[in-house]
Amino acid sequence: MAKSTRNSGKPWKPTEVSQLKQLAKGNTPTRVIGLKLGRTPAAIYKKAADEDISLAPTNQRPYGTKK
């Protein structure tokens, strides 16, 4: 059984959508975004699709790490 999250079933707040955009732009993995926002990865994918936010990885390392 899937672990419940704190925002499961609740409507998205504008601040959460803004945070989703920033995290996606920063190349943050979807699972980590879900943990930060208290949502399931499926909810992250759905909201990103609804808001036209790309979750495709960019040609950069996540979190601004250097080689």
Side-chain angles (χ1 to χ4, degrees):
M1 184 172 228
K3 191 166 95 171
S4 66
T5 56
R6 67 182 184 271
N7 290 322
S8 181
K10 294 181 182 176
W12 286 73
K13 297 177 186 171
T15 56
E16 292 174 322
V17 175
S18 176
Q19 190 175 8
L20 172 61
K21 288 179 184 178
Q22 285 298 111
L23 291 168
K25 186 177 180 182
N27 202 27
T28 306
T30 307
R31 187 171 190 286
V32 175
I33 295 173
L35 290 171
K36 287 180 181 266
L37 297 178
R39 306 275 181 172
T40 63
I44 299 298
Y45 282 117
K46 170 102 173 69
K47 190 61 174 180
D50 291 347
E51 296 288 328
D52 200 29
I53 300 169
S54 175
L55 294 174
T58 58
N59 291 330
Q60 64 183 14
R61 291 177 168 271
Y63 312 116
T65 57
K66 295 183 180 181
K67 230 176 181 179

